[in-house]
Amino acid sequence: MRFIDTLPLYSLVLICLTLGLAPFVPEPHVWEKLKMLVAGDLTRPIDIFDFAFHGLPWVLLAIKLSRISRHGAG
């Protein structure tokens, strides 16, 4: 967890807004893959990789925010 503590919060937010939401049109990949997951259609390896690739920034941001809320900004 030391790695996540060293990541600047603004960097994670920027990565989420760019890579995490790319491509923006017609809809963000992560949103498309979440809908596929709920529908049970997330079966192809490329879709699973795409979901992991675009979802990882959001997971890291959630972990970072959780650690900040528990232990403070320091």
Side-chain angles (χ1 to χ4, degrees):
M1 289 297 174
R2 198 175 301 163
F3 169 72
I4 292 175
D5 292 336
T6 62
L7 291 173
L9 183 60
Y10 67 87
S11 294
L12 283 175
V13 171
L14 183 64
I15 292 169
C16 283
L17 293 176
T18 55
L19 176 64
L21 292 176
F24 301 100
V25 177
E27 67 184 357
H29 265 4
V30 73
W31 181 250
E32 177 187 1
K33 302 307 175 192
L34 278 171
K35 291 191 319 188
M36 289 174 70
L37 181 66
V38 169
D41 297 332
L42 193 67
T43 57
R44 294 184 357 196
I46 189 69
D47 290 331
I48 295 168
F49 171 77
D50 211 23
F51 179 58
F53 183 71
H54 290 280
L56 182 64
W58 295 101
V59 171
L60 290 175
L61 181 62
I63 293 170
K64 175 77 172 185
L65 290 175
S66 170
R67 292 188 57 80
I68 287 174
S69 70
R70 286 189 191 153
H71 304 292

